[in-house]
Amino acid sequence: MAYEKELELALLAVQRAAILTKSVYSSHSKGTLTKTDSSPVTIGDFGAQALIIASIKSAFPNDEVVGEEDADDLRANPDLKNLVWDLVQQAKLSDPAAQDKIGGPIKSADDMLKALDGGASEGGNKGRIWALDPIDGTKGFLRGGQYAVCLALMVDGVPTVGVIGCPNLPVDDKAPLDSKIGTDADDKEGKGVLFGAVKGQGATSRALTDGKLEAPKTITMSPLPDVAQATFCESVEAGHSSHGDQADIARKLGITKASVRMDSQAKYCSIARGAGDLYLRLPTSKTYQEKIWDHAAGVVLVQEAGGEVTDAYGKQLNFGIGRTLKENKGIVAAPKAVHAKVIEVVKEVLSAKKD
């Protein structure tokens, strides 16, 4: 199968990184630095990015990576560097063969910094470029809600392989979404899912483990004969998407169920496996540009599960023009059968605002 090696590497790399993020959450040593875009970033971000880039470079040394972090903060702060290095050394897959497939442990703190700095690609539409978000949904992570470790391979600007690890989502693909899904990570029983998809090959979920990969289950979006019955997902943060516009759209579609708010690409995962139906992320400002790492993996997953993802105006998302989706505004993900209907209503609500 095409991209078999890439998919296996991405699944195992994300699984190892999730061991680190879970240990950071439970140890409460959440040293939070401020980043210029004011989203909180944690030691987990640095450790997970270093582990994943080291895995990619061990197997595909010439591939580029678009990542969110670099090693500057760690170089400037030896205590932080040592803390992250300790966590990176402890994050091991319990199955030696699986660990070997992703290059084994990082050899030194210097190698860790080098790996972290390996995420500086500017993106583009040529060749093989990985888009990585080591902890997507940092606020969800910090409060014990939903977050995701996200990795996608783009080939000539097209998301082709997507893997997302969601440590706090229920393993059961059919577990209904409710408002508590974004908040309660302390109950670990039956939680932790690893999603994967390759363009043209369908989408899967499996339990997230700390060793070798579990057997995959095929996932598909739920058939939605009546859009009024839909469960729709949106971001927790009002700064990320316009809750008011989204409520108007739901009303016009006849949707009466309350929206389910959760952080991160766990929203893409939830609709891909039929636990939710629609994901709306409408622009809150004219200038905001979506980052490619916030969407690339989720887009492959939803497409392969039978859905369609475009911007708010029905335009295809262009992942091949840099680190952001600067040609697109907003995101709408829905089952293929109802996507056009949803877009129609989205355009109606957005154009009413312009008047």
Side-chain angles (χ1 to χ4, degrees), residues 153-165:
L153 173 63
M154 300 178 301
V155 180
D156 298 333
V158 177
T160 302
V161 178
V163 169
I164 302 178

Side-chain angles (χ1 to χ4, degrees), residues 98-169:
Q99 176 82 356
D100 286 347
K101 280 178 179 166
I102 50 174
I106 295 178
K107 304 286 187 292
S108 69
D110 278 348
D111 285 350
M112 172 186 78
L113 297 178
K114 188 176 160 197
L116 252 180
D117 278 336
S121 168
E122 285 304 316
N125 61 3
K126 295 280 186 292
R128 292 165 48 109
I129 303 173
W130 297 81
L132 163 63
D133 197 343
I135 295 181
D136 179 29
T138 44
K139 288 195 171 110
F141 172 72
L142 290 168
R143 70 164 165 265
Q146 291 307 322
Y147 73 96
V149 181
C150 308
L151 182 60
L153 173 63
M154 300 178 301
V155 180
D156 298 333
V158 177
T160 302
V161 178
V163 169
I164 302 178
C166 299
N168 296 333
L169 269 188

Side-chain angles (χ1 to χ4, degrees), residues 3 25 29 32 34 49 78 81-82 160 163 182-183 191 199-200 210 217 244 250 254 278 291:
Y3 298 105
Y25 178 72
S29 53
T32 302
T34 18
Q49 176 160 317
K81 181 182 85 172
N82 294 337
T160 302
V163 169
T183 51
K191 298 261 181 79
K199 202 167 177 53
D210 64 1
K217 296 170 292 184
L278 312 176
K291 315 285 194 295

Side-chain angles (χ1 to χ4, degrees), residues 48-128:
Q49 176 160 317
L51 285 167
I52 289 174
I53 294 180
S55 300
I56 292 168
K57 294 293 188 182
S58 74
F60 306 108
N62 299 321
D63 286 7
E64 291 184 21
V65 184
V66 176
E68 219 175 341
E69 313 303 341
D70 59 38
D72 293 354
D73 285 327
L74 299 195
R75 287 196 176 90
N77 183 339
D79 290 344
L80 182 63
K81 181 182 85 172
N82 294 337
L83 178 57
V84 175
W85 173 232
D86 285 347
L87 288 159
V88 162
Q89 289 173 286
Q90 289 159 27
K92 287 190 186 72
L93 292 171
S94 60
D95 181 71
Q99 176 82 356
D100 286 347
K101 280 178 179 166
I102 50 174
I106 295 178
K107 304 286 187 292
S108 69
D110 278 348
D111 285 350
M112 172 186 78
L113 297 178
K114 188 176 160 197
L116 252 180
D117 278 336
S121 168
E122 285 304 316
N125 61 3
K126 295 280 186 292
R128 292 165 48 109

Side-chain angles (χ1 to χ4, degrees), residues 83-343:
L83 178 57
V84 175
W85 173 232
D86 285 347
L87 288 159
V88 162
Q89 289 173 286
Q90 289 159 27
K92 287 190 186 72
L93 292 171
S94 60
D95 181 71
Q99 176 82 356
D100 286 347
K101 280 178 179 166
I102 50 174
I106 295 178
K107 304 286 187 292
S108 69
D110 278 348
D111 285 350
M112 172 186 78
L113 297 178
K114 188 176 160 197
L116 252 180
D117 278 336
S121 168
E122 285 304 316
N125 61 3
K126 295 280 186 292
R128 292 165 48 109
I129 303 173
W130 297 81
L132 163 63
D133 197 343
I135 295 181
D136 179 29
T138 44
K139 288 195 171 110
F141 172 72
L142 290 168
R143 70 164 165 265
Q146 291 307 322
Y147 73 96
V149 181
C150 308
L151 182 60
L153 173 63
M154 300 178 301
V155 180
D156 298 333
V158 177
T160 302
V161 178
V163 169
I164 302 178
C166 299
N168 296 333
L169 269 188
V171 175
D172 178 2
D173 287 326
K174 294 295 168 246
L177 290 183
D178 60 31
S179 57
K180 291 203 295 293
I181 195 120
T183 51
D184 182 17
D186 294 325
D187 172 17
K188 290 284 185 283
E189 200 54 46
K191 298 261 181 79
V193 198
L194 185 60
F195 295 89
V198 176
K199 202 167 177 53
Q201 295 178 30
T204 62
S205 80
R206 66 188 90 208
L208 189 62
T209 72
D210 64 1
K212 58 176 188 259
L213 297 173
E214 293 273 305
K217 296 170 292 184
T218 299
I219 56 169
T220 54
M221 293 189 76
S222 62
L224 188 65
D226 177 9
V227 75
Q229 300 304 311
T231 296
F232 95 84
C233 302
E234 60 182 352
S235 298
V236 176
E237 305 299 328
H240 291 173
S241 65
S242 174
H243 289 162
D245 290 346
Q246 284 153 203
D248 285 351
I249 289 157
R251 212 165 26 250
K252 284 180 189 290
L253 288 167
I255 297 170
T256 52
K257 286 186 222 168
S259 71
V260 177
R261 290 180 181 174
M262 61 172 112
D263 294 280
S264 84
Q265 290 184 61
K267 294 182 285 290
Y268 282 115
C269 300
S270 295
I271 69 167
R273 62 176 176 168
D277 301 296
L278 312 176
Y279 168 26
L280 301 176
R281 184 179 174 105
L282 300 187
T284 52
S285 84
K286 287 191 168 53
T287 53
Y288 182 73
Q289 296 179 5
E290 297 285 352
K291 315 285 194 295
I292 60 173
W293 55 77
D294 283 334
H295 301 285
V299 164
V300 188
L301 198 65
V302 167
Q303 288 170 338
E304 289 305 309
E308 189 148 344
V309 188
T310 65
D311 73 7
Y313 297 93
K315 263 175 70 176
Q316 290 303 309
L317 302 176
N318 187 348
F319 285 90
I321 46 171
R323 294 171 72 93
T324 67
L325 297 172
K326 52 179 163 284
E327 285 183 0
N328 300 105
K329 283 283 174 235
I331 305 281
V332 175
K336 276 195 182 120
V338 300
H339 188 272
K341 168 79 179 153
V342 176
I343 288 291

